């Protein structure tokens, strides 16, 4: 559950009486925590008492008919993001195919993705997360979406799952900090914004961002893709088949004609350590192809 700062509690308390004491504010905050609020989603408070209060009456001479109150835009965006509706805003942002195709460099692509307003994810995320590692790497890892750590820092795979991913890659001699294209790795996610509460991205969000990812791959020019987790694998291979059936075998990207090795997401491996041995097989297959074996 999410909440919007103690100042909104202060606003509420003021309406009910004189300036509240710190103890009263702390009690109000503790009450929200007790209800399950565990995350702040905005730097500015939303005073929902004000939002629902009647508007001052218009002068009798005014000919303007009363308008229904529109929901607060930011609050609506947050509600949409929570429910994954991904409903386009009334201004109808440009379609992502056109935007992606017009990007001629990774910098231009990042700019286009960052400015695209077609989903409300931006309203709840702290940072835009584009990529990490080295462009020009023969190997590209594609994940799902930033989590809380990535959102805070602005780089993909920096939390616990990312640390495991680094270890997995190191076990086959690859590293995001190595500058040698043969040994380095380039890392990105299907979504550049964190879905609120780390929920799974909606199908609509994935389909919206997919043209960006395909352009991302074209511009980064890897030779091999390591796709981790269901969201990434299903999106890249345009399939509904799950990761357990797909992993361990080489697939070809349907439009970019590149080899893709699907594998478990490191976050899943943190929970299901018994499947690490299968992931290790996938990594060895990856190593073999990087060493020149055919897919
Ligand atoms: N999970 C992902 O898929 N990507 C990240 O960047 C972090 C966690």
């Amino acid at each position: 559950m999410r909440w919007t700062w103690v100042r909104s509690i202060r606003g509420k308390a003021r309406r009910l009486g004189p300036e509240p004491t710190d103890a009263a504010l702390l009690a109000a905050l503790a009450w929200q925590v007790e209800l399950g609020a565990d995350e702040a989603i905005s730097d500015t408070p939303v005073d929902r008492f004000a939002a629902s209060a009647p508007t001052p009456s218009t002068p009798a001479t005014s000919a303007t008919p009363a308008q229904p109150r529109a929901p607060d835009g930011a609050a609506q965006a947050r509600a949409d993001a929570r429910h994954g509706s991904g409903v386009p805003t009334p201004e109808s942002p440009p379609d992502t195919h056109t935007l992606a195709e017009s990007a001629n460099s990774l910098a231009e692509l990042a700019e286009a993705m960052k400015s695209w307003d077609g989903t409300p994810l931006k309203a709840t995320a702290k940072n835009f997360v584009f990529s990490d590692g080295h462009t020009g790497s023969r190997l590209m890892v594609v994940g799902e979406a930033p989590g809380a750590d990535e959102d805070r820092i602005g780089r993909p795979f920096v939390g616990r799952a990312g640390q495991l991913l680094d270890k997995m890659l190191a076990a086959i001699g690859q590293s995001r900090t190595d500058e040698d294209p043969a040994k380095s790795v380039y890392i990105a996610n299907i979504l550049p914004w964190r879905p609120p509460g780390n929920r799974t991205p909606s199908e609509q969000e994935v389909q919206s961002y997919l043209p960006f990812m395909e352009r991302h791959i074209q511009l980064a020019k890897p030779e091999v893709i390591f796709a981790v987790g269901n969201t990434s694998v299903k999106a890249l291979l345009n399939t509904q088949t799950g990761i357990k059936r797909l992993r361990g075998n080489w697939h070809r990207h349907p439009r970019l004609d590149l080899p893709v090795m699907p594998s478990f997401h490191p976050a899943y491996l943190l929970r299901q350590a018994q499947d690490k041995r299968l992931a290790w097989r996938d990594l060895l297959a990856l190593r073999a192809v990087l060493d020149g074996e055919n897919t």
Side-chain angles (χ1 to χ4, degrees):
M1 193 191 289
R2 340 204 70 218
W3 60 291
T4 50
W5 292 128
V6 69
R7 277 193 287 157
S8 70
I9 301 171
R10 189 187 291 273
K12 171 181 165 184
R14 268 208 205 100
R15 278 168 203 286
L16 301 175
E19 181 68 17
T21 62
D22 285 352
L25 286 169
L26 272 175
L29 178 60
W31 177 70
Q32 289 214 7
V33 172
E34 188 72 19
L35 289 176
D38 57 5
E39 191 177 359
I41 58 169
S42 172
D43 290 337
T44 48
V46 178
D47 187 344
R48 298 191 190 284
F49 280 79
S52 60
T55 47
S57 56
T58 40
T61 51
S62 167
T64 316
Q67 297 293 320
R69 250 184 110 83
D72 156 22
Q76 185 64 55
R78 282 192 295 277
D80 287 347
R82 263 197 301 280
H83 298 113
S85 72
V87 175
T89 56
E91 298 87 36
S92 277
D95 81 277
T96 52
H97 284 274
T98 313
L99 271 182
E101 286 310 312
S102 63
N104 292 313
S105 66
L106 288 168
E108 281 181 21
L109 182 70
E111 206 41 56
M113 289 172 70
K114 199 170 179 180
S115 59
W116 188 65
D117 280 326
T119 72
L121 292 174
K122 253 169 111 168
T124 49
K126 289 191 185 78
N127 275 304
F128 174 69
V129 180
F130 185 64
S131 70
D132 199 15
H134 284 273
T135 50
S137 300
R138 295 178 62 210
L139 173 62
M140 179 165 176
V141 173
V142 178
E144 175 178 306
D149 294 317
E150 291 75 20
D151 184 38
R152 190 168 41 80
I153 292 170
R155 281 168 46 217
F157 282 105
V158 292
R160 280 184 67 225
Q163 285 156 23
L164 177 57
L165 178 67
D166 284 343
K167 283 186 196 158
M168 290 161 65
L169 294 170
I172 57 162
Q174 305 294 132
S175 159
R176 64 171 109 186
T177 55
D178 203 308
E179 289 181 12
D180 176 350
K183 294 187 189 160
S184 62
V185 56
Y186 184 66
I187 305 177
N189 287 310
I190 301 283
L191 263 58
W193 305 104
R194 178 193 184 204
N198 289 354
R199 65 162 168 75
T200 303
S202 71
E203 185 59 23
Q204 187 170 6
E205 287 162 351
V206 170
Q207 290 309 318
S208 298
Y209 280 101
L210 195 52
F212 286 131
M213 175 45 74
E214 292 188 356
R215 189 72 185 135
H216 203 153
I217 295 170
Q218 281 179 327
L219 292 167
K221 299 191 182 73
E223 291 170 28
V224 178
I225 296 176
F226 191 52
V228 293
N230 257 318
T231 300
S232 156
V233 170
K234 286 181 173 175
L236 289 180
L237 298 180
N238 188 25
T239 178
Q240 287 308 311
T241 309
I243 188 79
K244 290 196 173 169
R245 300 257 319 269
L246 293 172
R247 62 140 293 279
N249 294 306
W250 285 101
H251 300 259
R252 284 205 92 70
H253 188 284
R255 281 171 293 277
L256 304 175
D257 196 28
L258 276 176
V260 177
M261 173 54 76
S263 194
F264 292 121
H265 195 287
Y268 166 84
L269 294 172
L270 286 171
R271 300 190 302 271
Q272 305 289 336
Q274 78 281 2
D275 280 340
K276 282 186 180 170
R277 66 193 171 84
L278 296 175
W280 176 234
R281 283 192 212 162
D282 304 343
L283 288 164
L284 290 179
L286 194 56
R287 179 71 265 159
V289 165
L290 288 169
D291 287 342
E293 196 173 275
N294 286 332
T295 55

